[in-house]
């Protein structure tokens, strides 16, 4: 994934923080998805307008993990969320 | 909010057993009720006061059991009500030997019934996020097209997960173990703050 890639949450997706984790809910389909602490932090950064590269750097600074592992984990998370229509990629201008 | 759960009264507080049909909610409720812990409901559990201290509301004073559960839990002379059209289960009214608690009670804990093969009772706490999703999965929501209602339902599940601890409960699925399972659950409830 390009380090400049940005993201947005579809309008019908709600997110709620609970403890240090989070739950996403697609109001249109009733689909819900649980995120652990790393996943929810990444989600917050994604919908906060940060690029993929910025998100990786921030996650590495806040949590334990190698560059390779964090990159793979966050990309896998993004794939899951996009496939579940809980996240959308922003087209680069 | 209405959970797909039974509930019994333990030391003045309600304990709920939540899960899909056939997971043992009614059998556990009857097992507790016939051993000194009255049941509030055997299936749909309405919860109120989610903004403050969630309370479990009582429902109909009867338990519905399949014949094998009935034979395992109840005295053979216990009365059975006439069958109703919406369930093939036996409908057993409350009695002195299987009492019903007709008042709302503070909800102390929720146990999510699992069905994994095992040789001993296992109880593990769910994180709040896991509990929230379990409540969504095991609650009644009539119209998912009504987005405002779905949103409110989601927020109710969150409030419940923040206020009431939830645990997975897995136990050996043979009736001979019910007494031991019940004691394991009671010991766990007693250990709760």
């Amino acid at each position: 994934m390009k380090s400049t890639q940005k993201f947005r949450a579809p309008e019908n997706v709600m997110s709620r923080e609970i403890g240090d984790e989070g739950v996403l809910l697609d109001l249109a389909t009733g689909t819900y998805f649980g995120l652990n602490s790393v996943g929810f932090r990444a989600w917050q950064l994604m919908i906060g307008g940060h690029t993929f590269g910025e998100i990786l750097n921030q996650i590495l600074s806040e949590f334990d993990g190698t560059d390779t592992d964090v990159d793979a984990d966050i990309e896998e998370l993004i794939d899951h969320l996009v496939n579940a229509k809980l996240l959308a990629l922003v087209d680069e201008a | 909010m209405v959970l797909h759960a039974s509930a019994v009264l333990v030391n003045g507080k309600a304990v709920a057993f939540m899960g899909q049909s056939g997971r043992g909610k009614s059998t556990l409720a009857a097992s507790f009720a016939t051993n000194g812990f009255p049941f509030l409901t055997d299936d749909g559990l309405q919860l109120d006061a989610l903004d403050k201290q969630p309370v479990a509301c009582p429902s109909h004073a009867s338990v519905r059991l399949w014949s094998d559960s009935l034979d395992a839990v109840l005295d053979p002379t216990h009365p059975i009500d006439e069958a109703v059209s919406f369930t093939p289960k036996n409908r057993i009214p409350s009695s002195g030997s299987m009492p019903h608690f007709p008042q709302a009670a503070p909800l102390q804990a929720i146990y999510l019934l699992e069905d994994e093969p095992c040789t001993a009772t296992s109880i593990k706490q769910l994180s709040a996020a896991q509990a929230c999703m379990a409540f969504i999965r095991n609650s009644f929501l009539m119209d998912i097209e009504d987005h405002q209602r779905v949103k409110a339902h989601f927020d109710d599940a969150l409030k419940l997960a923040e206020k009431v601890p939830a645990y997975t409960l897995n136990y050996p699925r043979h009736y001979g173990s019910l007494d031991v399972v019940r004691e394991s659950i009671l010991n766990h409830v007693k250990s709760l703050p």
Side-chain angles (χ1 to χ4, degrees):
Chain A
M1 181 162 292
K2 283 186 184 175
S3 64
T4 53
Q5 179 65 62
K6 286 191 174 185
F7 313 89
R8 63 174 179 84
E11 275 182 17
N12 45 287
V13 173
M14 285 176 69
S15 67
R16 291 289 188 267
E17 185 171 10
I18 180 162
D20 61 356
E21 297 175 301
V23 182
L24 309 182
L25 174 67
D26 182 345
L27 288 170
T29 63
T31 305
Y32 54 90
F33 194 91
L35 295 171
N36 62 16
S37 53
V38 176
F40 191 66
R41 182 64 180 124
W43 164 265
Q44 289 174 316
L45 292 166
M46 286 175 213
I47 63 171
H50 294 276
T51 65
F52 181 66
E54 289 168 347
I55 293 167
L56 287 185
N57 288 338
Q58 192 61 32
I59 295 294
L60 279 164
S61 74
E62 293 182 17
F63 298 93
D64 293 332
T66 65
D67 290 15
T68 313
D69 287 346
V70 170
D71 191 314
D73 287 348
I74 300 301
E75 283 215 48
E76 185 180 349
L77 173 65
I78 291 168
D79 279 344
H80 279 310
L81 294 178
V82 168
N83 287 337
K85 297 185 171 39
L86 294 167
L87 183 71
L89 303 178
V90 172
D91 290 334
E92 294 184 62
Chain B
M1 180 173 209
V2 181
L3 294 181
H4 202 186
S6 63
V8 297
L9 194 76
V10 178
N11 299 328
K13 293 184 182 178
V15 168
F17 304 114
M18 179 177 74
Q20 299 170 22
S21 296
R23 286 285 169 96
K25 299 183 294 296
S26 300
T27 302
L28 276 176
S31 174
F32 273 77
T34 52
N35 284 276
F37 305 94
F39 74 97
L40 282 81
T41 181
D42 82 318
D43 195 0
L45 173 61
Q46 182 177 327
L47 300 177
D48 283 347
L50 292 177
D51 288 322
K52 301 172 190 172
Q53 160 63 58
V55 294
C57 300
S59 183
H60 196 265
S62 66
V63 176
R64 288 165 292 170
L65 295 173
W66 295 110
S67 296
D68 52 351
S69 291
L70 190 158
D71 292 342
V73 175
L74 287 175
D75 188 277
T77 61
H78 197 287
I80 301 175
D81 277 349
E82 243 179 77
V84 292
S85 60
F86 57 81
T87 176
K89 288 181 171 182
N90 302 285
R91 199 158 61 98
I92 296 80
S94 64
S95 65
S97 57
M98 192 183 73
H100 177 248
F101 189 75
Q103 296 165 37
L107 182 60
Q108 182 172 19
I110 299 171
Y111 294 91
L112 173 65
L113 302 185
E114 298 201 316
D115 205 11
E116 298 296 323
C118 63
T119 54
T121 304
S122 159
I123 297 174
K124 295 178 187 171
Q125 186 157 14
L126 292 169
S127 70
Q130 290 170 326
C132 176
M133 291 192 289
F135 299 151
I136 293 171
R137 247 185 343 265
N138 291 280
S139 56
F140 293 94
L141 182 61
M142 295 303 290
D143 183 6
I144 65 165
E145 303 284 330
D146 183 340
H147 291 182
Q148 287 306 314
R149 192 178 290 270
V150 172
K151 200 181 289 189
H153 189 75
F154 185 30
D155 283 334
D156 282 347
L158 270 159
K159 285 177 200 169
L160 183 61
E162 285 170 341
K163 292 183 166 65
V164 179
Y167 307 88
T168 56
L169 169 61
N170 205 28
Y171 56 93
R173 293 310 180 113
H174 50 87
Y175 292 114
S177 296
L178 261 180
D179 288 346
V180 172
V181 170
R182 191 177 60 250
E183 282 309 306
S184 297
I185 295 168
L186 285 170
N187 287 337
H188 185 262
V189 171
K190 283 175 193 166
S191 74
L192 299 176

